[in-house]
């Protein structure tokens, strides 16, 4: 089933911190989109106006800020890309204009001022549905990000749990709440965190993002096209779908129409070959997006991680999906060394600095050509973080807690080789959660902490730098004005301190997702300056509520969406056990 691709290519923009360039859509909407936002300051002192710095901006660019058409700043703003308009009325509208030598650009369109947050109205498919994970992309090429939302029924199941589930839906919304389309994945796609991993990205370079997702007989597109046999029902008495065809489909971002559908790889084959016979491990799926050739994005779809792991890369070009490569742990000459390495999520990064991305798949990495790059003898875990956590050493690092009680409780490794830099002693337990991020200025570089190891530790040495570890081991977010990240957990944001965490934000009328994981619908630098937004569903599932910081800062840096590793992390964030996005560089 194939449809012609839309045409034209957009120019690329330079990515921050030396990362390879992204297409304009992939980075931050159109190349000139400033993502301007104005919000009433939480400190009651006026309106906080914030906008993007682009990688294509001259180093000395400044900005003038206009309230209702009148410039309100004195000298151009050059030390940040935000401005606190003290005493301004809540009804004010704003635009900004880049200024300086060699700069010739018009002011941005005006935006109004938000009271505290932005609500995106959403439409419940039926009673008993819960708004779950989201992703972003410029679906229609207008330069503004749209939101793709996964709806889960309230009878969604973990793979280990028997029971029939309702259908899963994917919706696309503009920020004003206009629904662009709805895709019904149908009865032959089971609902749960491990079944549906959807990728939103501009794969064919036409400036409009596509949506790639696993489908089956009975999936119905946003324009009403039915994939395969609409009447097929492969659910067994326990609700598992262990027979019937499986597909990978690319949907058009503008209307949700099918662009191409191919057989999903790898096929399930013999169910028991994945580690059990009742259907738990065979249907553990992961997904991501990677620049495997260094210049254009590919779709990455994977199956299995407890025992056998298979990762397949696809290109979507000229309206057609073509397989780039397959990595299969079962096909390796030293098979036992590559099995049981995967996590409940993956990461994508250029770990060997050759301009092409690798797939970090738990305790192993797959090179851009589909060959095993490294495995380091440790095994499966629940959390995984990849970033520049040790600025004093070259390259990127991997931090990973371990589920196996005989492995180190957690470890820090070289992302290029997998060599363990340091590790915590085995805890004889399932160390389920852990984070690596720079959350405390009292220690150089990043810090790490995990559920089963005491204290806050140095990412550089593993030594404890504070006896008290953060109050959560979930997401992190750049929120206040300093270089450190804050703790995002449930519906709150806290600032870490060795004597106690300080509450910075409590979401109002919102709820987190995914049970005890307590994850947001999305956390990413969606608009404004380099700080990140958090998206939660409202408690009644009638809207997605987006919060942006109103804290002043003296740090100025390019939009995080223009760092390739960060943008790709936003794309894979919805996969299985969601993890926060990390950039390719250390904290600013």
């Amino acid at each position: 089933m194939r449809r012609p691709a839309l045409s034209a290519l957009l120019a690329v923009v330079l990515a921050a911190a030396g990362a390879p360039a992204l297409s304009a859509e992939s980075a931050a909407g159109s190349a000139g989109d400033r993502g301007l936002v104005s919000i009433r300051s939480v400190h009651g002192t006026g309106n906080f106006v914030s906008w993007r710095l682009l990688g294509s901006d001259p180093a000395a660019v400044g900005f003038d800020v206009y309230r209702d058409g009148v410039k309100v700043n004195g000298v151009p703003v050059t030390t940040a890309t935000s401005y606190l308009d003290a005493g301004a009325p809540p009804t004010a509208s704003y635009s900004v204009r880049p200024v300086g030598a060699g700069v010739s650009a018009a002011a941005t369109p005006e935006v109004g001022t938000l009271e505290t947050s932005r609500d995106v109205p959403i439409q419940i498919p039926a009673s008993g549905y819960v708004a779950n994970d989201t992703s972003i992309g410029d679906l229609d090429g207008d330069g503004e990000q749209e939101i793709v939302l996964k709806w889960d029924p309230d009878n969604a199941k973990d793979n280990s749990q028997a029971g029939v589930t309702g259908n899963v839906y994917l919706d696309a919304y503009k920020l004003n709440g206009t629904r662009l389309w709805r895709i019904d994945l149908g009865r032959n796609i089971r609902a749960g965190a491990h079944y549906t991993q959807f990728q939103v990205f501009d794969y064919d370079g036409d400036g409009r993002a596509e949506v790639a997702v696993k489908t089956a007989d009975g999936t119905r597109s946003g324009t009403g096209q039915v994939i395969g046999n609409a009447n097929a029902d492969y659910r067994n008495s326990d609700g598992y779908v262990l027979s019937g065809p499986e597909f990978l489909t690319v949907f058009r971002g503008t209307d949700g129409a099918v662009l191409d559908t191919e057989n999903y790889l790898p096929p399930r084959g013999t169910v028991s070959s994945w580690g059990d016979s009742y259907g738990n491990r065979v249907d553990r799926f992961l997904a991501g997006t990677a620049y495997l050739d260094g210049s254009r994005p590919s779709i990455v779809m994977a199956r299995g991680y407890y025992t056998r792991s298979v990762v397949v890369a696809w290109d979507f070009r000229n309206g057609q999906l073509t397989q780039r490569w397959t990595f299969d742990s079962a096909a390796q000459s030293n098979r036992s060394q590559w099995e049981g390495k995967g996590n409940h999520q993956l990461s994508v990064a250029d770990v060997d600095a050759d301009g092409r991305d690798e797939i970090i798949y738990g305790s192993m990495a797959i090179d851009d050509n589909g060959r095993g790059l490294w495995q380091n003898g440790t095994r499966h875990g629940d959390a995984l973080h990849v970033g520049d956590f040790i600025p004093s050493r070259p390259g990127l690092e991997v931090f990973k807690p371990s589920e196996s009680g005989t492995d180190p409780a957690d470890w820090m490794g070289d992302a290029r080789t997998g060599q363990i830099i340091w590790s915590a002693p085995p805890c004889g337990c399932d160390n389920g959660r852990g984070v690596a991020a720079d959350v405390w200025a009292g220690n150089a570089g990043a810090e790490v902490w995990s559920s089963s190891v005491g204290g806050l530790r140095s990412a550089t040495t593993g030594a404890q730098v504070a006896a008290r570890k953060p109050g959560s081991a979930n997401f992190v977010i750049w929120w206040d004005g300093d270089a450190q990240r804050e703790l995002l957990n449930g519906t709150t944001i806290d600032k870490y301190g060795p004597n106690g965490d300080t509450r910075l934000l409590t979401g109002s009328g919102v709820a987190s997702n995914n049970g005890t994981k307590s994850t947001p619908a999305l956390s990413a630098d969606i608009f404004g300056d380099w700080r990140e937004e958090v998206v939660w569903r409202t408690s009644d599932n009638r809207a997605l509520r987006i919060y942006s910081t109103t804290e002043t800062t003296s740090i100025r840096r390019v939009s995080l969406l223009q760092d390739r590793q960060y943008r790709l992390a936003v794309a894979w964030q919805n996969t299985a056990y969601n993890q926060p996005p990390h950039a390719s560089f250390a904290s600013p």
Side-chain angles (χ1 to χ4, degrees):
M1 186 184 300
R2 294 183 175 90
R3 299 292 184 271
L6 301 173
S7 60
L9 296 177
L10 290 184
V12 297
V13 294
L14 295 176
L22 290 170
S23 72
E25 183 282 322
S26 300
S30 66
D33 180 25
R34 295 288 173 186
L36 181 66
V37 63
S38 173
I39 309 169
R40 291 295 287 174
S41 171
V42 296
H43 303 295
T45 54
N47 300 329
F48 185 77
V49 187
S50 178
W51 60 93
R52 291 188 184 116
L53 182 69
L54 304 176
S56 55
D57 284 330
V61 68
F63 295 89
D64 286 335
V65 181
Y66 295 84
R67 182 210 308 150
D68 299 324
V70 178
K71 192 173 81 153
V72 294
N73 59 300
V75 299
V77 178
T78 59
T79 58
T81 51
S82 59
Y83 181 81
L84 179 61
D85 191 12
T91 56
S93 294
Y94 291 88
S95 64
V96 297
R97 179 178 179 178
V99 294
V103 177
S104 178
T108 65
E110 282 192 342
V111 299
T113 298
L114 303 171
E115 182 60 34
T116 57
S117 57
R118 174 180 294 186
D119 273 12
V120 179
I122 54 179
Q123 302 169 32
I124 299 176
S127 62
Y129 272 82
V130 177
N132 192 251
D133 296 333
T134 71
S135 194
I136 56 170
D138 185 357
L139 299 175
D140 55 12
D142 67 351
E144 184 179 79
Q145 301 288 338
E146 280 76 48
I147 296 177
V148 177
L149 164 67
K150 178 169 75 97
W151 287 100
D152 272 349
D154 57 10
N155 61 356
K157 303 293 184 186
D158 183 82
N159 295 49
S160 63
Q161 300 169 342
V164 173
T165 72
N167 292 11
V168 177
Y169 296 90
L170 295 176
D171 283 0
Y173 294 94
K174 296 188 73 64
L175 292 179
N176 63 9
T178 299
R179 196 181 82 190
L180 298 179
W181 45 258
R182 169 168 289 164
I183 295 168
D184 178 358
L185 292 180
R187 64 172 68 93
N188 295 306
I189 296 291
R190 204 164 185 244
H194 302 287
Y195 294 102
T196 293
Q197 328 301 346
F198 59 98
Q199 292 295 288
V200 182
F201 219 82
D202 179 12
Y203 292 106
D204 60 5
D206 69 352
R208 287 166 282 196
E210 292 79 41
V211 178
V213 67
K214 183 177 181 287
T215 58
D217 276 356
T219 295
R220 188 176 297 272
S221 78
T223 57
Q225 302 157 286
V226 176
I227 295 173
N229 180 356
N231 298 315
D233 187 347
Y234 299 105
R235 296 171 294 182
N236 66 21
S237 58
D238 287 327
Y240 291 98
V241 180
L242 303 179
S243 62
E246 302 174 288
F247 305 114
L248 173 63
T249 299
V250 175
F251 295 94
R252 188 163 56 210
T254 52
D255 59 5
V258 173
L259 293 174
D260 190 22
T261 294
E262 303 292 341
N263 290 329
Y264 189 89
L265 298 176
R268 64 172 71 86
T270 302
V271 171
S272 59
S273 70
W274 298 90
D276 61 62
S277 59
Y278 70 98
N280 177 3
R281 296 181 177 187
V282 67
D283 277 357
R284 298 278 180 159
F285 299 102
L286 302 178
T289 296
Y291 283 74
L292 299 172
D293 64 2
S295 61
R296 301 186 70 178
S298 297
I299 302 164
V300 177
M301 290 284 164
R303 183 178 218 142
Y305 41 76
Y306 283 119
T307 53
R308 182 185 176 197
S309 297
V310 184
V311 182
V312 182
W314 298 82
D315 293 336
F316 180 68
R317 314 279 189 259
N318 301 316
Q320 183 174 344
L321 279 164
T322 57
Q323 184 184 353
R324 175 176 280 267
W325 50 251
T326 295
F327 171 89
D328 188 344
S329 64
Q332 306 306 303
S333 58
N334 48 353
R335 171 177 178 171
S336 63
Q337 296 180 25
W338 292 93
E339 300 220 310
K341 304 294 184 183
N343 263 37
H344 290 289
Q345 86 289 336
L346 50 73
S347 186
V348 179
D350 179 10
V351 302
D352 53 11
D354 64 356
R356 300 183 296 271
D357 291 324
E358 282 71 46
I359 313 302
I360 301 88
Y361 204 80
S363 295
M364 68 180 182
I366 301 165
D367 207 350
D368 54 79
N369 58 11
R371 298 172 184 168
L373 182 63
W374 57 259
Q375 61 80 27
N376 65 7
T378 62
R379 285 162 286 184
H380 167 79
D382 286 359
L384 169 72
H385 302 271
V386 180
D388 188 6
F389 302 131
I390 310 176
S392 60
R393 70 180 299 276
L396 303 173
E397 292 79 39
V398 178
F399 176 70
K400 195 177 91 64
S402 297
E403 183 169 305
S404 171
T406 58
D407 279 350
D410 55 36
W411 53 265
M412 180 71 70
D414 185 314
R416 181 179 64 85
T417 66
Q419 180 178 0
I420 293 177
I421 300 168
W422 58 259
S423 63
C427 62
C429 65
D430 175 356
N431 190 14
R433 304 295 287 172
V435 183
D438 182 7
V439 297
W440 185 41
N443 171 67
E447 296 77 47
V448 302
W449 64 102
S450 64
S451 299
S452 300
V453 183
L456 184 71
R457 291 166 286 149
S458 164
T460 304
T461 65
Q464 190 176 110
V465 295
R468 181 188 172 276
K469 60 187 174 185
S472 65
N474 192 9
F475 266 54
V476 287
I477 185 171
W478 275 297
W479 187 259
D480 66 7
D482 62 29
Q484 283 67 49
R485 292 181 100 173
E486 282 65 59
L487 311 174
L488 169 55
N489 183 59
T491 58
T492 62
I493 295 175
D494 291 337
K495 182 74 172 176
Y496 170 78
N499 297 315
D501 298 337
T502 301
R503 181 60 44 85
L504 301 181
L505 175 71
T506 299
S508 175
V510 296
S512 60
N513 287 334
N514 303 315
T516 58
K517 302 301 181 289
S518 300
T519 54
L522 184 71
S523 178
D525 178 14
I526 300 173
F527 36 70
D529 65 17
W530 57 273
R531 270 86 60 84
E532 296 168 287
E533 278 67 45
V534 58
V535 184
W536 287 300
R537 62 181 173 93
T538 56
S539 300
D540 61 4
N541 292 293
R542 296 290 180 179
L544 296 172
R545 186 159 292 162
I546 307 175
Y547 283 88
S548 291
T549 186
T550 62
E551 300 296 328
T552 59
T553 183
S554 59
I555 297 173
R556 166 168 141 150
R557 77 158 311 110
V558 171
S559 167
L560 294 177
L561 288 185
Q562 293 196 318
D563 178 74
R564 191 168 87 186
Q565 180 177 321
Y566 182 91
R567 178 62 184 93
L568 297 176
V570 173
W572 57 247
Q573 186 181 137
N574 66 73
T575 295
Y577 286 180
N578 303 7
Q579 300 294 328
H582 296 288
S584 66
F585 50 85
S587 291

